[in-house]
Amino acid sequence: MVTQVPYGSLTSVEQSLVGHVSRGEWLDLAADDEVVDQAAMQSWGESRTCRATVIRDILRGRFAADPDPHGLRLRGARITGRIDLEILTTEVNFELEDCLLEEGLFAQDAQLASLSLTRCQLEHPTEPPLDAARLTCGVLALEGARIIGHAEAGAVRLTGAHIGGDLDCTGAVLVNDSGPALYAGRLQVGQAMYLSDGFTTTGAGDDGAVNLVGAHIGGDLDCTGAVLVNDSGPAVAADRLQVGQDMFLRNGFTATGAGDLGAVSLSSAGIGGDLDCDGADLRNDSGPALYADSLQVGQAIFLRGGFTATGAGDNGAVSLRGAGIGGQFDCTGATVRNDSGPALYADGLQVGQAMYLRGAFTATGAVNVVGAHIGGQLSCDGATVRNDSGPALYADRLQVDRDVFLTDGFTATGAGDDGAVNLVGAHIGGNLDCTGAVLVNDSGPAVAADSLQVGQDVTLRGGFTATGAGDNGAVNLRGAHIGGRLSCTGATLGNNSGPALYADALQVDRDMYLRGAFTATGAGDHSAVNLLAAHIGGQLSCTGATLGNDSGPALYADALQVDQDLFLDGFTATGAGDNGAVNLLGAHIGGDLTCDGADLRNDSGPAVAADRLQVGQDVYLRGAFTATGAVNMRGAHIGGGLDCTGATVRNDSGPALHAGSLQVGQDVYLRGGFTATGAGDTVAVALTGAQVGATLVFDPARLEHAADPHRRLAVDGLTYAGVPEPISARDWLDLLRNGTPGYAAQPYQQLAAGYRALGDERQAREILMKQRDGQLTRTDPRPWWPERLWGKITKITLGYGYQPWRALLFLAAVVALSCVLAVALGSHGALAQTGSTATPGQPCTLLQQVTVGLDLNLPIGKSVAREQCDLAKESASAAAAWLTATGWVLQLLAWVFAALFIAGFTSAVRKT
């Protein structure tokens, strides 16, 4: 109950006040040059004192029946008692300046035209010094006021209040050691609210130093330069706050809070314009510095110009989970720190325009943007992000409509399997540019970007460095899709316990560059660079790259598809194991495969494993190409030529060049210093079953086998057009006989066919004769002795059927020998004139003797000459007996040689 004061009991000061109210004038009890401070106020006596009840009555119209519209205006007074304006309705403005309100002001449910307590001091031992819950007024001004409370309900209580115009607390100092300093939940302000220019609050408890939970500010909320402190709760608790225009927490704004609710809590708040925190300093050693989950900002958020946020715990130093920002989100130069959780926790964040974490932006603790959507670009140029317990940049399923920049010295240091930079399943509409970035993770990937989608180019060049660990690689792009180019020119990737670049099933629509001093050092079976089943729409250039893996492949590209060319010029690869230093098993290259000047080494397996490789055009292994370890191209298909001019291939445990069943559409060149050195049970160069569509140019500088010179070459089943060049038929035949591991008919047949096509039938026959030589001497197991004997006979007499004229020569010799024997033995009585002559028994003439010699070789019958000259009838004639016996032998020989000639002429011998 409020006691009314009779007019007659008013003091002179109070009476003067009534008069000033009637005239609308200030009652100024302070001298012009007086310093009004807390100590001075406490010393004021009766001449500066006015009772609170008098003020109430004046506002009720009891003492000033017709007050001036300016209302009650009092300066420099000491007001005793508690000003009670509860449920009071008045249109009289109420303004106090530099006044001491010993017990404060109570204005619950009041309706005032305006209330101003500029530079006033209010205090109450148990109640809120300014209790204006549900107050309705046009303007509330607390500029420079000092309000000290000790109540749980706050030092200034404005819960549910409605201010039609501005709420101005510029420069005010609010202190409460038992609760909020400013308790304004559900406050409504029609225009702007100013907590700026030295505004200072110290509060306590979970409700915050400044509580604006559910408040609605129609204009700006300006906290520029404010200092807010709460050691046991939020400095600002503004969940569900609605601000119609901009909110400023800038230029020296400082908030120090505690607990899980954050130093500044804007959870589910809505800001129609910008949220500007440039230069702010937010701190919470036991929770978030800025807790703004589900915050909605119509325009931009600025955390720039030296913005600092220090927080702790799993909710991050700055938490914007599920927040929506209509414009840009700019953290240029900000410093965000959380030693026990994320620095920036923005999973599900929606940004309408660009997001900037650049210009010396520093985050200690993760930057989490999992599932976030950024309508413009994401720029982290020059940023430094570090997290010792997880990813530095965690952007799983991030969507960026334009470009992402991690450039100009961007540095990320992370830990664990999720990577230093995690872009798993992310979608980037423009480019991903990591030029010059340095990414480090000692316990997982430097970049984890499985299933990443990039609309344009990905650039990892210009000093880009990624150091990772583990099976998932230093840079992981498995299943990623890049709409433009992937350029890693000059990049350095390292992983001592797994792949350097792990890109299984990667799709690049245009070119991929791993060139210009690109270096990748990996370990294990997954290789240094893994492109298993990847698809490159343009060219893949590894010119000048250096790849190393001491325990597996350097380049693992099994089933790789490259629509254009693959360049390994000047390329260096050091690998280990059965999968090869360079593995292209089943790969498909639409254009050329160029390895000029490459240096490939594998001391425990193939240098090149390219079985079933498909190349649409040419393959070049020239210009000092060096392979230590086998070059395997079994079953490969090359649409153009294979040029190994000047190549050096060496394998100390197996074949140097293993190209069985290789198919080459055009020429094959093994010339110009080509050197192949093999070892083991196989041959140095294996071309078994290979098909060469054009010329085989074979002129190696050295072709050798470490243990067996007969294992230098295998060409059984090799086909080619024409004849090998420039090697002579003689040298090729010598190589077939002395350089191959065993006899095979096809190489001879192929060579003979080539010379026959050239019209050199003589050379073709000589080749086929060499084939028969090889068959008889090198077939394993060797033929039985009858076959070998028959072979020797047919070689001498027929040239294996390819020179049947030899049988005619032998037949002629038999005929000549028969004639000689007939003449020699006939002159010794072996021949005599028959009874049909005039001189029977007489020696035959020389002509008759020669005729008998010819007759002895007739296979059947006798000639007419034998009717006049025949063998002597005397049984004692030894000469006749000898001639008879030799005649039989010679006749048999004649039969044999005639038969051989016929067999050779008809090719019967060759067919057998």
Side-chain angles (χ1 to χ4, degrees):
M1 179 176 179
V2 179
T3 302
Q4 296 182 355
V5 178
Y7 183 81
S9 65
L10 296 180
T11 67
S12 60
V13 171
E14 294 168 347
Q15 291 177 10
S16 178
L17 177 60
V18 171
H20 281 73
V21 170
S22 298
R23 298 189 299 271
E25 298 175 350
W26 276 98
L27 175 58
D28 191 350
L29 301 179
D32 292 339
D33 58 351
E34 180 181 355
V35 176
V36 180
D37 56 19
Q38 182 179 3
M41 289 179 177
Q42 297 296 334
S43 66
W44 291 342
E46 292 296 327
S47 63
R48 304 282 292 270
T49 301
C50 178
R51 288 172 291 177
T53 54
V54 173
I55 292 176
R56 171 183 170 84
D57 286 341
I58 292 173
L59 293 176
R60 289 180 61 199
R62 289 192 65 235
F63 298 132
D66 186 19
D68 187 90
H70 285 106
L72 190 157
R73 297 194 286 182
L74 177 62
R75 178 176 180 267
R78 175 176 185 170
I79 301 173
T80 58
R82 186 168 177 82
I83 300 177
D84 186 356
L85 304 180
E86 183 182 13
I87 65 172
L88 177 66
T89 299
T90 180
E91 295 182 1
V92 177
N93 293 317
F94 183 22
E95 297 183 60
L96 299 178
E97 285 189 12
D98 299 318
C99 292
L100 172 63
L101 283 69
E102 290 184 338
E103 296 184 35
L105 185 150
F106 184 63
Q108 285 190 12
D109 299 305
Q111 298 184 39
L112 308 179
S114 66
L115 174 61
S116 176
L117 301 175
T118 302
R119 296 186 303 277
C120 293
Q121 178 167 321
L122 291 75
E123 188 169 355
H124 196 282
T126 59
E127 299 295 333
L130 175 57
D131 189 347
R134 300 178 299 282
L135 167 69
T136 300
C137 71
V139 175
L140 176 59
L142 302 177
E143 298 166 87
R146 178 178 175 85
I147 304 176
I148 312 299
H150 308 281
E152 184 177 345
V156 175
R157 184 183 184 192
L158 293 172
T159 54
H162 183 278
I163 312 299
D166 294 337
L167 170 56
D168 191 349
C169 299
T170 301
V173 176
L174 312 182
V175 178
N176 187 1
D177 54 16
S178 303
L182 175 59
Y183 201 178
R186 304 184 311 282
L187 168 69
Q188 295 189 51
V189 178
Q191 297 183 26
M193 180 173 179
Y194 299 100
L195 308 178
S196 57
D197 297 333
F199 175 81
T200 301
T201 63
T202 303
D206 292 340
D207 290 327
V210 173
N211 185 306
L212 292 170
V213 174
H216 184 278
I217 314 298
D220 296 334
L221 173 56
D222 190 351
C223 302
T224 299
V227 177
L228 316 179
V229 178
N230 184 353
D231 293 334
S232 55
V236 178
D239 299 355
R240 302 184 305 283
L241 168 69
Q242 299 291 317
V243 178
Q245 297 183 26
D246 301 326
M247 181 172 178
F248 300 105
L249 308 178
R250 61 184 179 183
N251 297 346
F253 174 84
T254 302
T256 303
D260 293 338
L261 297 178
V264 174
S265 177
L266 292 170
S267 177
S268 299
I271 300 171
D274 296 331
L275 171 59
D276 188 346
C277 301
D278 287 352
D281 184 1
L282 314 182
R283 186 177 188 92
N284 184 353
D285 293 334
S286 56
L290 174 59
Y291 192 19
D293 291 1
S294 302
L295 169 69
Q296 300 294 316
V297 178
Q299 297 186 29
I301 291 184
F302 300 107
L303 309 180
R304 316 173 292 193
F307 172 85
T308 302
T310 304
D314 294 338
N315 287 327
V318 174
S319 180
L320 289 166
R321 289 174 294 183
I325 303 171
Q328 61 180 273
F329 179 29
D330 192 346
C331 301
T332 300
T335 300
V336 187
R337 184 180 188 94
N338 185 352
D339 293 332
S340 56
L344 174 59
Y345 200 176
D347 292 0
L349 172 68
Q350 303 285 318
V351 180
Q353 298 180 20
M355 179 173 175
Y356 300 108
L357 307 178
R358 61 185 180 183
F361 171 85
T362 301
T364 303
V367 172
N368 284 7
V369 285
V370 174
H373 179 230
I374 300 170
Q377 63 176 258
L378 169 60
S379 176
C380 301
D381 296 348
T384 300
V385 187
R386 183 181 186 93
N387 183 6
D388 294 333
S389 58
L393 176 58
Y394 201 177
D396 193 346
R397 304 185 308 281
L398 169 69
Q399 293 190 52
V400 180
D401 291 350
R402 297 180 65 183
D403 302 323
V404 173
F405 297 102
L406 308 179
T407 58
D408 297 336
F410 173 82
T411 302
T413 304
D417 293 338
D418 290 325
V421 173
N422 184 305
L423 291 168
V424 174
H427 184 277
I428 299 170
N431 300 306
L432 171 58
D433 189 350
C434 301
T435 300
V438 177
L439 314 179
V440 179
N441 185 352
D442 293 334
S443 56
V447 178
D450 303 7
S451 304
L452 169 69
Q453 304 284 318
V454 179
Q456 298 182 26
D457 299 334
V458 172
T459 305
L460 310 178
R461 63 184 180 186
F464 174 85
T465 302
T467 304
D471 292 339
N472 288 327
V475 175
N476 188 320
L477 291 171
R478 287 181 294 180
H481 180 237
I482 299 170
R485 297 182 177 89
L486 171 57
S487 176
C488 301
T489 300
T492 300
L493 313 182
N495 185 352
N496 292 327
S497 55
L501 175 58
Y502 200 2
D504 290 8
L506 169 69
Q507 294 190 53
V508 179
D509 290 352
R510 298 181 67 183
D511 302 327
M512 179 173 176
Y513 302 116
L514 307 179
R515 62 186 182 185
F518 172 84
T519 302
T521 304
D525 293 339
H526 290 306
S527 77
V529 173
N530 189 313
L531 293 172
L532 175 67
H535 181 214
I536 313 299
Q539 62 176 258
L540 170 57
S541 176
C542 301
T543 300
T546 300
L547 278 60
N549 184 355
D550 293 335
S551 55
L555 174 60
Y556 193 18
D558 195 345
L560 169 70
Q561 293 190 52
V562 179
D563 290 351
Q564 297 182 22
D565 302 323
L566 172 56
F567 296 104
L568 303 178
D569 299 333
F571 173 81
T572 300
T574 304
D578 294 339
N579 288 326
V582 174
N583 185 308
L584 292 170
L585 292 174
H588 183 274
I589 314 298
D592 296 334
L593 169 57
T594 304
C595 303
D596 291 349
D599 185 359
L600 314 180
R601 185 178 189 93
N602 185 352
D603 293 332
S604 56
V608 178
D611 297 350
R612 305 184 309 281
L613 170 68
Q614 304 281 321
V615 179
Q617 297 185 29
D618 300 322
V619 173
Y620 299 104
L621 310 179
R622 49 182 196 184
F625 171 86
T626 301
T628 303
V631 174
N632 287 348
M633 301 182 74
R634 291 170 293 190
H637 183 276
I638 301 171
L642 170 60
D643 191 347
C644 300
T645 300
T648 299
V649 187
R650 182 181 186 89
N651 187 1
D652 293 333
S653 59
L657 175 60
H658 201 344
S661 301
L662 170 69
Q663 296 184 51
V664 180
Q666 299 182 25
D667 300 328
V668 171
Y669 298 96
L670 304 177
R671 64 176 181 184
F674 173 79
T675 300
T677 304
D681 296 335
T682 56
V683 298
V685 175
L687 296 172
T688 306
Q691 300 178 31
V692 180
T695 304
L696 173 62
V697 180
F698 189 87
D699 186 21
R702 185 168 67 250
L703 187 64
E704 60 185 17
H705 190 278
D708 184 357
H710 285 92
R711 295 186 181 275
R712 289 178 289 164
L713 182 66
V715 291
D716 186 15
L718 170 66
T719 61
Y720 43 83
V723 299
E725 298 177 1
I727 188 171
S728 66
R730 177 179 179 181
D731 290 342
W732 185 257
L733 289 170
D734 180 71
L735 193 57
L736 292 179
R737 181 176 181 84
N738 299 310
T740 58
Y743 166 77
Q746 188 275 337
Y748 294 94
Q749 297 288 335
Q750 176 69 32
L751 184 64
Y755 277 99
R756 185 173 291 117
L758 294 175
D760 193 345
E761 190 65 33
R762 177 175 174 277
Q763 183 64 70
R765 290 195 297 269
E766 290 181 359
I767 293 168
L768 295 173
M769 291 168 62
K770 291 294 185 181
Q771 174 194 343
R772 183 61 173 159
D773 283 344
Q775 182 185 25
L776 293 173
T777 58
R778 303 190 67 211
T779 301
D780 186 18
R782 293 186 66 189
W784 288 5
W785 68 266
E787 183 177 352
R788 295 199 304 273
L789 176 61
W790 172 246
K792 290 181 179 180
I793 292 173
T794 56
K795 177 181 180 179
I796 295 172
T797 59
L798 292 173
Y800 298 128
Y802 298 105
Q803 294 177 337
W805 50 266
R806 292 189 182 189
L808 291 179
L809 292 179
F810 278 102
L811 180 59
V814 169
V815 171
L817 181 59
S818 297
C819 293
V820 170
L821 287 175
V823 172
L825 294 178
S827 47
H828 288 82
L831 296 174
Q833 301 256 352
T834 62
S836 63
T837 62
T839 56
Q842 293 299 313
C844 295
T845 66
L846 178 61
L847 179 59
Q848 291 176 327
Q849 292 173 349
V850 171
T851 302
V852 171
L854 293 172
D855 190 66
L856 289 175
N857 290 281
L858 291 175
I860 55 173
K862 294 182 179 181
S863 66
V864 177
R866 295 285 294 276
E867 294 179 357
Q868 296 181 355
C869 179
D870 203 352
L871 294 171
K873 302 297 185 181
E874 292 84 353
S875 59
S877 175
W882 274 103
L883 184 58
T884 300
T886 55
W888 292 341
V889 173
L890 292 175
Q891 190 174 36
L892 177 60
L893 289 175
W895 269 89
V896 168
F897 289 126
L900 287 173
F901 172 75
I902 295 170
F905 187 79
T906 60
S907 301
V909 170
R910 277 178 282 175
K911 292 177 181 178
T912 59

